[in-house]
Amino acid sequence: MLDTFKRLLKKDIISEQYSLNSSINELKFACKRSDGHRLDYLYNRFIWYFAPKMNMLTRFPTHIDIEISNLCQLKCPMCYTTTDYYRSKVEKSLLSFDYFKKIIDEISHHKVYSIRLSWRGEPLIHPQIIEMVTYAKNAGIKEVSFLTNGGLLKPKLIDDLILNGVDWITVSVDGLFEIYEEYRKPLKFEETISSLKLIQKRKKELKQNKPVIKVQTIWPAIENNPEEYYMYMKDFVDEIAFNPLKDKRYYKEFDVNNYNSKYVCPRLWQRIYVSSSGNIGFCLSDVYEEYIIGNIKDMTIQEAWSGVAFKTIREKHLNHERFEYSICRRCQAGMNRSEMSVNIEDRTVKATQYNF
């Protein structure tokens, strides 16, 4: 018990994303996000943060990433999906509704708290996304969310998402005005902002508290004036965050000397993913699906989570032998970093950036 407590205090879980919100606004965001199931949310957050610190394996993952589409309508210059290497490795696909129901039926039995309907592609491309949201909410999933580029957030779809219970939408808004349009080709900044404002307007008109809206940006898109970005967004979104710079060359293996050798990935104790082709895998960094545990057509989430393959990679991390896996030699999460400070209004946000 004492060793476990010492490990809990010493072990550091490095953040891969940083909020620009004040502490008060962070609390407001958490309150809005947990509306209707606050105790479940608090318990989930406790397990989410402390299970990896304690290397405590829950009987079932607390979160499932379900990629319903690996297609995208954009050609963002910083995205690995635009590379020839990615296109040669990954076939375009949409998750079948039958596979989706199979996943939800299993995980709802295990009282999984949250799912995210996205990974590499744009989820709003899937023609059955509303049916998927409805099915998951009716099955008792407390938090249904997805990440989107926002280009398909049209009025009818916005109303359907609100009325069918989606809890949380994260929209990638990389920078302001012409910077955004450089990163998110061919989207137009004003159109995306209008969609965000429309969501908030329609929530009030429909007397709904959700979905809560988060915007996130890559750091290079706002580094010249992060405060301007925050001030522009703060009145019509609930959370504002940025990601440190990431290199889109996900097939490149980095020098292992540029990594924190003792880093242990928290994801292995938190979540599991199912790709749009039904493949079940360890890690969202495995964007080429090179380390597949099985497929949802003939394997359950429980079998994958508790199986030999997952057990082995967890042990490799704990023994600081993770570089035996190429996904770990390509992953940027465990890289050495330098500290950075971001000044917002009268406060300072502490963050890190990768040392490439």
Side-chain angles (χ1 to χ4, degrees), residues 276-322:
S276 53
S277 59
N279 287 331
I280 306 172
F282 303 120
C283 181
L284 299 175
S285 291
D286 186 19
V287 297
Y288 308 116
E289 298 182 71
E290 294 175 337
Y291 292 88
I292 298 304
I293 306 170
N295 192 282
I296 199 66
K297 67 182 178 184
D298 50 26
M299 175 179 276
T300 66
I301 300 294
Q302 179 70 78
E303 289 169 340
W305 182 249
S306 304
V308 173
F310 231 130
K311 180 181 179 181
T312 301
I313 194 171
R314 291 187 189 107
E315 289 176 347
K316 292 294 184 182
H317 271 252
L318 291 174
N319 294 328
H320 310 306
E321 298 171 347
R322 73 183 190 276

Side-chain angles (χ1 to χ4, degrees), residues 120-131:
R120 300 164 296 186
E122 171 52 54
L124 295 181
I125 286 177
H126 201 296
Q128 292 177 288
I129 186 170
I130 298 301
E131 292 92 331

Side-chain angles (χ1 to χ4, degrees), residues 83-313:
T83 63
D84 291 337
Y85 188 87
Y86 176 85
R87 288 193 288 264
S88 71
K89 291 286 186 180
V90 180
E91 289 189 19
K92 295 179 179 180
S93 59
L94 297 173
L95 185 69
S96 75
F97 194 50
D98 286 340
Y99 278 4
F100 181 80
K101 289 193 292 184
K102 184 176 187 291
I103 297 165
I104 297 300
D105 290 347
E106 179 188 2
I107 69 176
S108 63
H109 175 74
H110 289 276
K111 309 297 183 184
V112 165
Y113 178 82
S114 62
I115 62 172
R116 188 172 72 168
L117 304 181
S118 52
W119 177 23
R120 300 164 296 186
E122 171 52 54
L124 295 181
I125 286 177
H126 201 296
Q128 292 177 288
I129 186 170
I130 298 301
E131 292 92 331
M132 290 174 165
V133 170
T134 303
Y135 192 86
K137 293 304 297 183
N138 288 342
I141 305 299
K142 295 291 193 301
E143 186 174 275
V144 177
S145 68
F146 60 84
L147 171 65
T148 176
N149 58 51
L152 301 176
L153 284 171
K154 306 305 179 185
K156 172 65 165 61
L157 182 57
I158 286 172
D159 279 7
D160 287 342
L161 290 168
I162 294 171
L163 292 172
N164 285 278
V166 70
D167 297 280
W168 179 10
I169 301 175
T170 298
V171 185
S172 294
V173 184
D174 296 303
L176 303 174
F177 306 106
E178 67 276 2
I179 294 177
Y180 169 85
E181 292 174 6
E182 177 183 344
Y183 278 109
R184 291 289 166 177
K185 297 176 181 179
L187 299 184
K188 300 300 180 185
F189 180 73
E190 294 294 351
E191 292 177 4
T192 299
I193 297 305
S194 293
S195 295
L196 297 180
K197 291 179 177 179
L198 180 60
I199 293 173
Q200 303 292 33
K201 177 175 181 289
R202 292 299 291 151
K203 279 164 56 179
K204 291 180 181 178
E205 293 171 347
L206 295 169
K207 296 180 171 55
Q208 300 293 319
N209 295 327
K210 294 181 178 179
V212 291
I213 304 299
K214 171 182 175 180
V215 294
Q216 65 181 27
T217 175
I218 56 173
W219 173 247
I222 65 166
E223 61 182 337
N224 290 333
N225 197 339
E227 185 175 41
E228 180 185 10
Y229 183 84
Y230 171 80
M231 296 301 292
Y232 188 94
M233 298 289 178
K234 70 182 182 69
D235 292 331
F236 55 88
V237 301
D238 303 298
E239 168 73 307
I240 306 166
F242 72 89
N243 299 319
L245 173 64
K246 289 200 172 186
D247 189 325
K248 78 172 182 178
R249 295 167 295 170
Y250 269 58
Y251 57 89
K252 173 183 176 180
E253 294 184 9
F254 295 96
D255 185 348
V256 296
N257 293 317
N258 199 26
Y259 284 91
N260 177 349
S261 62
K262 295 183 179 180
Y263 175 79
V264 177
C265 180
R267 292 175 179 173
L268 301 175
W269 281 264
Q270 293 169 329
R271 65 208 298 174
I272 197 170
Y273 80 78
V274 183
S275 75
S276 53
S277 59
N279 287 331
I280 306 172
F282 303 120
C283 181
L284 299 175
S285 291
D286 186 19
V287 297
Y288 308 116
E289 298 182 71
E290 294 175 337
Y291 292 88
I292 298 304
I293 306 170
N295 192 282
I296 199 66
K297 67 182 178 184
D298 50 26
M299 175 179 276
T300 66
I301 300 294
Q302 179 70 78
E303 289 169 340
W305 182 249
S306 304
V308 173
F310 231 130
K311 180 181 179 181
T312 301
I313 194 171

Side-chain angles (χ1 to χ4, degrees), residues 22-34 212 238:
S22 66
S23 298
I24 292 176
N25 285 339
E26 278 287 278
L27 181 60
K28 289 180 179 178
F29 172 67
C31 289
K32 291 177 182 178
R33 177 180 165 185
S34 61
V212 291
D238 303 298

